Amino acid sequence: MNLPELGAFLKSRRARITPAEVGLPTGPRRRVPGLRREEVAQLAGASVDYYIELERGRGPQPSTQMLAALARALRLDGDERDHLYHLAGRPAPTAIGTAAHVPPAMLALLDRLDTNPAQILTDLHETLVQNRLAAALLGAPVHTEGHAASFVYRWFTDPTSRSLYPEEDHPHHSRVLVSDLRAAVARRDHDQQSADMVARLRRASREFVALWDSGDVAVRRGDRKRINHPELGVVDIHCQNVFSEDGRQRLQFFTAPAGSPAVEQLRLLAVIGTQQLADHEPTAR
């Protein structure tokens, strides 16, 4: 672990990125090139004090989750990401799980969807990164590690996860999630992570067993969703997915049907999301 070199590397990567490149407004009187330290902290979900300590080469060893968040915030490519982990004394993660590397091109596309809720997921429905509208609509990820990071896993093991959708829509989402999971497991050639998830779900849920044994398979490319929101009520919107080349990640974004009540609901969501951002200072993970 080399914290001084880590701090210098973070500072150099921060200096090369403009706010516009990461979907942040470009304000006047910027006295430093690139992003401010508080902007990197905001993008990574860290406290400003924590990030400042990292750049100063001090503080505790960053977790793998924090390193992954910093790599995304700073739009690091694969080699830069691996170097970041090396400086922090952590092994570079594999291409799976919530620490998976997100290609800068996919992050750039996410930044351009600033008027729509959008997020990037793994093929096992683990949330990697959200924009502020997606967090306001869907809520921030509850779990960041283990099988519980997967929405598919929580859907069949944690009843509270189903409150996101109206109860009458639950059978549809169960079928679609299992069909999509089957496609992902086959694409991964039944690797340990996906095979273990299926085995655990079979032990935990009779509903999952029945749906899995049906053999249905279908990649979830798009859907019409009704989402329960605590302030806006039921939001009826379109959900579309854009996939990475290997199919391991998807950019998921939500749009309102023209002329529908969801148009005004998403407008109000932008206000709610801005208020949430102001009211809750991020903390270090």
Side-chain angles (χ1 to χ4, degrees):
M1 181 171 62
N2 191 331
L3 289 181
E5 283 293 325
L6 173 66
F9 183 64
L10 289 172
K11 186 175 181 179
S12 71
R13 299 305 88 185
R14 173 171 64 85
R16 69 175 183 167
I17 301 177
T18 66
E21 288 179 295
V22 294
L24 293 174
T26 303
R29 301 178 184 175
R30 299 186 70 88
R31 290 183 278 180
V32 295
L35 297 177
R36 299 186 179 100
R37 289 178 294 187
E38 57 266 27
E39 290 170 333
V40 177
Q42 175 187 323
L43 291 167
S47 72
V48 177
D49 289 343
Y50 175 82
Y51 181 74
I52 289 174
E53 286 296 291
L54 284 181
E55 278 206 4
R56 289 176 176 171
R58 299 200 292 261
Q61 182 184 30
S63 68
T64 57
Q65 295 300 318
M66 175 51 64
L67 292 170
L70 289 169
R72 292 164 194 154
L74 294 169
R75 303 307 191 252
L76 303 186
D77 63 25
D79 292 335
E80 291 171 326
R81 188 279 311 263
D82 290 350
H83 184 62
L84 178 71
Y85 276 76
H86 174 73
L87 292 176
R90 301 282 189 186
T94 62
I96 62 176
T98 54
H101 180 62
V102 181
M106 185 171 279
L107 288 167
L109 182 56
L110 176 70
D111 293 333
R112 285 163 174 74
L113 292 170
D114 57 348
T115 60
N116 297 89
Q119 58 185 358
I120 297 174
L121 313 171
T122 71
D123 54 350
L124 298 182
H125 293 259
E126 302 155 318
T127 303
L128 299 176
V129 61
Q130 295 175 310
N131 66 13
R132 64 183 181 86
L133 290 181
L137 178 66
L138 306 169
V142 180
H143 302 277
T144 58
E145 295 181 336
H147 291 303
S150 164
F151 182 71
V152 180
Y153 186 83
R154 296 198 306 275
W155 180 262
F156 290 101
T157 60
D158 179 7
T160 62
S161 68
R162 299 196 174 201
S163 63
L164 183 64
Y165 301 119
E167 186 174 357
E168 57 269 27
D169 296 348
H170 291 180
H172 166 76
H173 290 297
S174 293
R175 289 193 301 272
V176 170
L177 286 169
V178 173
S179 295
D180 187 81
L181 177 62
R182 180 179 290 278
V185 172
R187 189 187 308 113
R188 289 165 168 255
D189 196 23
H190 299 263
D191 66 0
Q192 182 175 351
Q193 184 189 18
S194 61
D196 186 47
M197 179 180 290
V198 171
R200 287 171 178 261
L201 286 171
R202 290 186 68 90
R203 292 194 296 268
S205 170
R206 291 182 179 179
E207 180 190 18
F208 177 84
V209 170
L211 291 168
W212 186 262
D213 289 348
S214 72
D216 292 344
V217 57
V219 176
R220 191 174 199 173
R221 295 181 174 87
D223 206 351
R224 185 78 173 259
K225 290 189 176 183
R226 297 193 304 153
I227 296 174
N228 290 325
H229 191 275
E231 297 178 57
L232 302 177
V234 177
V235 184
D236 191 343
I237 52 179
H238 290 303
C239 173
Q240 297 294 325
N241 294 287
V242 177
F243 294 85
S244 62
E245 186 175 353
D246 63 2
R248 289 290 185 94
Q249 295 178 13
R250 65 187 69 186
L251 173 62
Q252 186 177 80
F253 61 97
F254 301 85
T255 59
S260 72
V263 174
E264 177 64 14
Q265 287 174 309
L266 290 189
R267 188 190 69 80
L268 292 173
L269 185 71
V271 177
I272 294 170
T274 301
Q275 291 174 341
Q276 289 176 340
L277 197 61
D279 293 342
H280 301 285
E281 179 184 358
T283 57
R285 298 178 186 178

PDB file of all heavy atoms in Angstrom, residues 180-203:
ATOM      1  N   ASP A 180     -34.725 -13.694 -17.197  1.00  0.00           N
ATOM      2  CA  ASP A 180     -33.517 -12.921 -17.473  1.00  0.00           C
ATOM      3  C   ASP A 180     -32.314 -13.517 -16.752  1.00  0.00           C
ATOM      4  O   ASP A 180     -31.210 -13.587 -17.300  1.00  0.00           O
ATOM      5  CB  ASP A 180     -33.735 -11.468 -17.035  1.00  0.00           C
ATOM      6  CG  ASP A 180     -32.592 -10.560 -17.441  1.00  0.00           C
ATOM      7  OD1 ASP A 180     -32.576 -10.131 -18.611  1.00  0.00           O
ATOM      8  OD2 ASP A 180     -31.713 -10.278 -16.605  1.00  0.00           O
ATOM      9  N   LEU A 181     -32.522 -13.989 -15.519  1.00  0.00           N
ATOM     10  CA  LEU A 181     -31.440 -14.616 -14.763  1.00  0.00           C
ATOM     11  C   LEU A 181     -30.957 -15.877 -15.465  1.00  0.00           C
ATOM     12  O   LEU A 181     -29.752 -16.145 -15.522  1.00  0.00           O
ATOM     13  CB  LEU A 181     -31.908 -14.947 -13.348  1.00  0.00           C
ATOM     14  CG  LEU A 181     -30.892 -15.669 -12.461  1.00  0.00           C
ATOM     15  CD1 LEU A 181     -29.647 -14.820 -12.239  1.00  0.00           C
ATOM     16  CD2 LEU A 181     -31.527 -16.046 -11.113  1.00  0.00           C
ATOM     17  N   ARG A 182     -31.876 -16.669 -16.008  1.00  0.00           N
ATOM     18  CA  ARG A 182     -31.470 -17.899 -16.705  1.00  0.00           C
ATOM     19  C   ARG A 182     -30.552 -17.566 -17.885  1.00  0.00           C
ATOM     20  O   ARG A 182     -29.543 -18.244 -18.119  1.00  0.00           O
ATOM     21  CB  ARG A 182     -32.703 -18.666 -17.191  1.00  0.00           C
ATOM     22  CG  ARG A 182     -32.338 -19.959 -17.929  1.00  0.00           C
ATOM     23  CD  ARG A 182     -33.584 -20.699 -18.383  1.00  0.00           C
ATOM     24  NE  ARG A 182     -34.312 -21.257 -17.246  1.00  0.00           N
ATOM     25  CZ  ARG A 182     -34.002 -22.406 -16.652  1.00  0.00           C
ATOM     26  NH1 ARG A 182     -32.966 -23.113 -17.075  1.00  0.00           N
ATOM     27  NH2 ARG A 182     -34.709 -22.840 -15.641  1.00  0.00           N
ATOM     28  N   ALA A 183     -30.878 -16.500 -18.617  1.00  0.00           N
ATOM     29  CA  ALA A 183     -30.036 -16.089 -19.737  1.00  0.00           C
ATOM     30  C   ALA A 183     -28.650 -15.659 -19.249  1.00  0.00           C
ATOM     31  O   ALA A 183     -27.632 -15.978 -19.872  1.00  0.00           O
ATOM     32  CB  ALA A 183     -30.706 -14.953 -20.504  1.00  0.00           C
ATOM     33  N   ALA A 184     -28.604 -14.949 -18.118  1.00  0.00           N
ATOM     34  CA  ALA A 184     -27.328 -14.488 -17.574  1.00  0.00           C
ATOM     35  C   ALA A 184     -26.468 -15.663 -17.111  1.00  0.00           C
ATOM     36  O   ALA A 184     -25.259 -15.692 -17.357  1.00  0.00           O
ATOM     37  CB  ALA A 184     -27.577 -13.521 -16.414  1.00  0.00           C
ATOM     38  N   VAL A 185     -27.080 -16.631 -16.448  1.00  0.00           N
ATOM     39  CA  VAL A 185     -26.333 -17.795 -15.954  1.00  0.00           C
ATOM     40  C   VAL A 185     -25.733 -18.574 -17.126  1.00  0.00           C
ATOM     41  O   VAL A 185     -24.570 -19.006 -17.079  1.00  0.00           O
ATOM     42  CB  VAL A 185     -27.254 -18.694 -15.101  1.00  0.00           C
ATOM     43  CG1 VAL A 185     -26.554 -20.007 -14.758  1.00  0.00           C
ATOM     44  CG2 VAL A 185     -27.674 -17.975 -13.827  1.00  0.00           C
ATOM     45  N   ALA A 186     -26.495 -18.740 -18.186  1.00  0.00           N
ATOM     46  CA  ALA A 186     -25.983 -19.451 -19.360  1.00  0.00           C
ATOM     47  C   ALA A 186     -24.845 -18.664 -20.017  1.00  0.00           C
ATOM     48  O   ALA A 186     -23.829 -19.248 -20.437  1.00  0.00           O
ATOM     49  CB  ALA A 186     -27.117 -19.675 -20.358  1.00  0.00           C
ATOM     50  N   ARG A 187     -24.996 -17.338 -20.105  1.00  0.00           N
ATOM     51  CA  ARG A 187     -23.956 -16.498 -20.699  1.00  0.00           C
ATOM     52  C   ARG A 187     -22.659 -16.597 -19.908  1.00  0.00           C
ATOM     53  O   ARG A 187     -21.566 -16.540 -20.463  1.00  0.00           O
ATOM     54  CB  ARG A 187     -24.433 -15.053 -20.760  1.00  0.00           C
ATOM     55  CG  ARG A 187     -23.532 -14.114 -21.564  1.00  0.00           C
ATOM     56  CD  ARG A 187     -23.987 -12.666 -21.441  1.00  0.00           C
ATOM     57  NE  ARG A 187     -25.393 -12.518 -21.755  1.00  0.00           N
ATOM     58  CZ  ARG A 187     -26.323 -12.172 -20.863  1.00  0.00           C
ATOM     59  NH1 ARG A 187     -26.003 -11.966 -19.607  1.00  0.00           N
ATOM     60  NH2 ARG A 187     -27.589 -12.035 -21.224  1.00  0.00           N
ATOM     61  N   ARG A 188     -22.778 -16.753 -18.584  1.00  0.00           N
ATOM     62  CA  ARG A 188     -21.608 -16.883 -17.714  1.00  0.00           C
ATOM     63  C   ARG A 188     -21.077 -18.312 -17.674  1.00  0.00           C
ATOM     64  O   ARG A 188     -20.117 -18.593 -16.956  1.00  0.00           O
ATOM     65  CB  ARG A 188     -21.990 -16.472 -16.286  1.00  0.00           C
ATOM     66  CG  ARG A 188     -22.225 -14.987 -16.083  1.00  0.00           C
ATOM     67  CD  ARG A 188     -22.932 -14.725 -14.771  1.00  0.00           C
ATOM     68  NE  ARG A 188     -22.945 -13.325 -14.399  1.00  0.00           N
ATOM     69  CZ  ARG A 188     -22.174 -12.779 -13.447  1.00  0.00           C
ATOM     70  NH1 ARG A 188     -21.366 -13.552 -12.753  1.00  0.00           N
ATOM     71  NH2 ARG A 188     -22.234 -11.493 -13.186  1.00  0.00           N
ATOM     72  N   ASP A 189     -21.705 -19.214 -18.394  1.00  0.00           N
ATOM     73  CA  ASP A 189     -21.323 -20.623 -18.400  1.00  0.00           C
ATOM     74  C   ASP A 189     -21.380 -21.207 -16.994  1.00  0.00           C
ATOM     75  O   ASP A 189     -20.495 -21.958 -16.571  1.00  0.00           O
ATOM     76  CB  ASP A 189     -19.924 -20.808 -18.999  1.00  0.00           C
ATOM     77  CG  ASP A 189     -19.645 -22.255 -19.379  1.00  0.00           C
ATOM     78  OD1 ASP A 189     -20.609 -23.013 -19.606  1.00  0.00           O
ATOM     79  OD2 ASP A 189     -18.454 -22.629 -19.433  1.00  0.00           O
ATOM     80  N   HIS A 190     -22.434 -20.816 -16.250  1.00  0.00           N
ATOM     81  CA  HIS A 190     -22.691 -21.340 -14.907  1.00  0.00           C
ATOM     82  C   HIS A 190     -21.474 -21.151 -13.989  1.00  0.00           C
ATOM     83  O   HIS A 190     -21.038 -22.086 -13.318  1.00  0.00           O
ATOM     84  CB  HIS A 190     -23.086 -22.816 -14.973  1.00  0.00           C
ATOM     85  CG  HIS A 190     -24.336 -23.062 -15.768  1.00  0.00           C
ATOM     86  ND1 HIS A 190     -25.568 -23.202 -15.185  1.00  0.00           N
ATOM     87  CD2 HIS A 190     -24.541 -23.174 -17.100  1.00  0.00           C
ATOM     88  CE1 HIS A 190     -26.483 -23.399 -16.128  1.00  0.00           C
ATOM     89  NE2 HIS A 190     -25.889 -23.381 -17.293  1.00  0.00           N
ATOM     90  N   ASP A 191     -20.942 -19.921 -13.961  1.00  0.00           N
ATOM     91  CA  ASP A 191     -19.800 -19.648 -13.090  1.00  0.00           C
ATOM     92  C   ASP A 191     -20.220 -19.765 -11.623  1.00  0.00           C
ATOM     93  O   ASP A 191     -21.400 -19.904 -11.295  1.00  0.00           O
ATOM     94  CB  ASP A 191     -19.183 -18.282 -13.397  1.00  0.00           C
ATOM     95  CG  ASP A 191     -20.116 -17.110 -13.064  1.00  0.00           C
ATOM     96  OD1 ASP A 191     -21.250 -17.339 -12.601  1.00  0.00           O
ATOM     97  OD2 ASP A 191     -19.699 -15.958 -13.274  1.00  0.00           O
ATOM     98  N   GLN A 192     -19.247 -19.698 -10.731  1.00  0.00           N
ATOM     99  CA  GLN A 192     -19.518 -19.969  -9.322  1.00  0.00           C
ATOM    100  C   GLN A 192     -20.514 -18.979  -8.732  1.00  0.00           C
ATOM    101  O   GLN A 192     -21.410 -19.363  -7.968  1.00  0.00           O
ATOM    102  CB  GLN A 192     -18.213 -19.931  -8.514  1.00  0.00           C
ATOM    103  CG  GLN A 192     -18.410 -20.266  -7.035  1.00  0.00           C
ATOM    104  CD  GLN A 192     -17.099 -20.347  -6.291  1.00  0.00           C
ATOM    105  OE1 GLN A 192     -16.019 -20.320  -6.879  1.00  0.00           O
ATOM    106  NE2 GLN A 192     -17.187 -20.459  -4.976  1.00  0.00           N
ATOM    107  N   GLN A 193     -20.369 -17.689  -9.058  1.00  0.00           N
ATOM    108  CA  GLN A 193     -21.249 -16.690  -8.472  1.00  0.00           C
ATOM    109  C   GLN A 193     -22.705 -16.919  -8.855  1.00  0.00           C
ATOM    110  O   GLN A 193     -23.595 -16.930  -8.002  1.00  0.00           O
ATOM    111  CB  GLN A 193     -20.830 -15.283  -8.906  1.00  0.00           C
ATOM    112  CG  GLN A 193     -21.678 -14.192  -8.241  1.00  0.00           C
ATOM    113  CD  GLN A 193     -21.419 -12.805  -8.812  1.00  0.00           C
ATOM    114  OE1 GLN A 193     -20.865 -12.663  -9.897  1.00  0.00           O
ATOM    115  NE2 GLN A 193     -21.822 -11.780  -8.072  1.00  0.00           N
ATOM    116  N   SER A 194     -22.957 -17.112 -10.153  1.00  0.00           N
ATOM    117  CA  SER A 194     -24.344 -17.275 -10.594  1.00  0.00           C
ATOM    118  C   SER A 194     -24.912 -18.621 -10.179  1.00  0.00           C
ATOM    119  O   SER A 194     -26.088 -18.728  -9.784  1.00  0.00           O
ATOM    120  CB  SER A 194     -24.441 -17.102 -12.115  1.00  0.00           C
ATOM    121  OG  SER A 194     -23.673 -18.074 -12.798  1.00  0.00           O
ATOM    122  N   ALA A 195     -24.103 -19.687 -10.230  1.00  0.00           N
ATOM    123  CA  ALA A 195     -24.588 -21.012  -9.830  1.00  0.00           C
ATOM    124  C   ALA A 195     -24.927 -21.032  -8.339  1.00  0.00           C
ATOM    125  O   ALA A 195     -25.934 -21.630  -7.922  1.00  0.00           O
ATOM    126  CB  ALA A 195     -23.532 -22.067 -10.151  1.00  0.00           C
ATOM    127  N   ASP A 196     -24.096 -20.375  -7.537  1.00  0.00           N
ATOM    128  CA  ASP A 196     -24.361 -20.323  -6.102  1.00  0.00           C
ATOM    129  C   ASP A 196     -25.634 -19.533  -5.824  1.00  0.00           C
ATOM    130  O   ASP A 196     -26.423 -19.900  -4.943  1.00  0.00           O
ATOM    131  CB  ASP A 196     -23.172 -19.694  -5.384  1.00  0.00           C
ATOM    132  CG  ASP A 196     -23.325 -19.732  -3.864  1.00  0.00           C
ATOM    133  OD1 ASP A 196     -23.682 -20.793  -3.332  1.00  0.00           O
ATOM    134  OD2 ASP A 196     -23.096 -18.694  -3.219  1.00  0.00           O
ATOM    135  N   MET A 197     -25.854 -18.448  -6.580  1.00  0.00           N
ATOM    136  CA  MET A 197     -27.072 -17.667  -6.387  1.00  0.00           C
ATOM    137  C   MET A 197     -28.311 -18.503  -6.692  1.00  0.00           C
ATOM    138  O   MET A 197     -29.289 -18.496  -5.934  1.00  0.00           O
ATOM    139  CB  MET A 197     -27.061 -16.412  -7.270  1.00  0.00           C
ATOM    140  CG  MET A 197     -28.327 -15.565  -7.125  1.00  0.00           C
ATOM    141  SD  MET A 197     -28.331 -14.090  -8.160  1.00  0.00           S
ATOM    142  CE  MET A 197     -27.071 -13.132  -7.332  1.00  0.00           C
ATOM    143  N   VAL A 198     -28.282 -19.238  -7.786  1.00  0.00           N
ATOM    144  CA  VAL A 198     -29.421 -20.076  -8.135  1.00  0.00           C
ATOM    145  C   VAL A 198     -29.659 -21.139  -7.060  1.00  0.00           C
ATOM    146  O   VAL A 198     -30.806 -21.387  -6.653  1.00  0.00           O
ATOM    147  CB  VAL A 198     -29.207 -20.742  -9.513  1.00  0.00           C
ATOM    148  CG1 VAL A 198     -30.283 -21.793  -9.781  1.00  0.00           C
ATOM    149  CG2 VAL A 198     -29.221 -19.692 -10.618  1.00  0.00           C
ATOM    150  N   ALA A 199     -28.589 -21.752  -6.577  1.00  0.00           N
ATOM    151  CA  ALA A 199     -28.740 -22.780  -5.544  1.00  0.00           C
ATOM    152  C   ALA A 199     -29.357 -22.195  -4.273  1.00  0.00           C
ATOM    153  O   ALA A 199     -30.237 -22.812  -3.654  1.00  0.00           O
ATOM    154  CB  ALA A 199     -27.373 -23.399  -5.232  1.00  0.00           C
ATOM    155  N   ARG A 200     -28.918 -21.013  -3.886  1.00  0.00           N
ATOM    156  CA  ARG A 200     -29.462 -20.374  -2.685  1.00  0.00           C
ATOM    157  C   ARG A 200     -30.936 -20.000  -2.880  1.00  0.00           C
ATOM    158  O   ARG A 200     -31.748 -20.146  -1.963  1.00  0.00           O
ATOM    159  CB  ARG A 200     -28.647 -19.134  -2.343  1.00  0.00           C
ATOM    160  CG  ARG A 200     -27.279 -19.439  -1.771  1.00  0.00           C
ATOM    161  CD  ARG A 200     -26.436 -18.177  -1.669  1.00  0.00           C
ATOM    162  NE  ARG A 200     -25.141 -18.449  -1.072  1.00  0.00           N
ATOM    163  CZ  ARG A 200     -24.823 -18.241   0.203  1.00  0.00           C
ATOM    164  NH1 ARG A 200     -25.734 -17.743   1.028  1.00  0.00           N
ATOM    165  NH2 ARG A 200     -23.622 -18.513   0.657  1.00  0.00           N
ATOM    166  N   LEU A 201     -31.261 -19.497  -4.069  1.00  0.00           N
ATOM    167  CA  LEU A 201     -32.646 -19.133  -4.337  1.00  0.00           C
ATOM    168  C   LEU A 201     -33.558 -20.356  -4.347  1.00  0.00           C
ATOM    169  O   LEU A 201     -34.709 -20.292  -3.898  1.00  0.00           O
ATOM    170  CB  LEU A 201     -32.742 -18.374  -5.662  1.00  0.00           C
ATOM    171  CG  LEU A 201     -32.233 -16.926  -5.627  1.00  0.00           C
ATOM    172  CD1 LEU A 201     -32.167 -16.343  -7.050  1.00  0.00           C
ATOM    173  CD2 LEU A 201     -33.133 -16.067  -4.747  1.00  0.00           C
ATOM    174  N   ARG A 202     -33.064 -21.464  -4.850  1.00  0.00           N
ATOM    175  CA  ARG A 202     -33.871 -22.689  -4.848  1.00  0.00           C
ATOM    176  C   ARG A 202     -34.179 -23.140  -3.421  1.00  0.00           C
ATOM    177  O   ARG A 202     -35.254 -23.677  -3.146  1.00  0.00           O
ATOM    178  CB  ARG A 202     -33.154 -23.803  -5.615  1.00  0.00           C
ATOM    179  CG  ARG A 202     -33.085 -23.587  -7.127  1.00  0.00           C
ATOM    180  CD  ARG A 202     -32.491 -24.801  -7.839  1.00  0.00           C
ATOM    181  NE  ARG A 202     -33.391 -25.942  -7.742  1.00  0.00           N
ATOM    182  CZ  ARG A 202     -34.345 -26.225  -8.635  1.00  0.00           C
ATOM    183  NH1 ARG A 202     -34.526 -25.445  -9.692  1.00  0.00           N
ATOM    184  NH2 ARG A 202     -35.118 -27.292  -8.487  1.00  0.00           N
ATOM    185  N   ARG A 203     -33.238 -22.934  -2.520  1.00  0.00           N
ATOM    186  CA  ARG A 203     -33.473 -23.312  -1.132  1.00  0.00           C
ATOM    187  C   ARG A 203     -34.398 -22.321  -0.421  1.00  0.00           C
ATOM    188  O   ARG A 203     -35.106 -22.691   0.517  1.00  0.00           O
ATOM    189  CB  ARG A 203     -32.139 -23.396  -0.373  1.00  0.00           C
ATOM    190  CG  ARG A 203     -31.241 -24.532  -0.808  1.00  0.00           C
ATOM    191  CD  ARG A 203     -30.118 -24.763   0.191  1.00  0.00           C
ATOM    192  NE  ARG A 203     -29.205 -23.617   0.277  1.00  0.00           N
ATOM    193  CZ  ARG A 203     -28.109 -23.497  -0.456  1.00  0.00           C
ATOM    194  NH1 ARG A 203     -27.783 -24.430  -1.350  1.00  0.00           N
ATOM    195  NH2 ARG A 203     -27.324 -22.442  -0.312  1.00  0.00           N
TER     196      ARG A 203
END
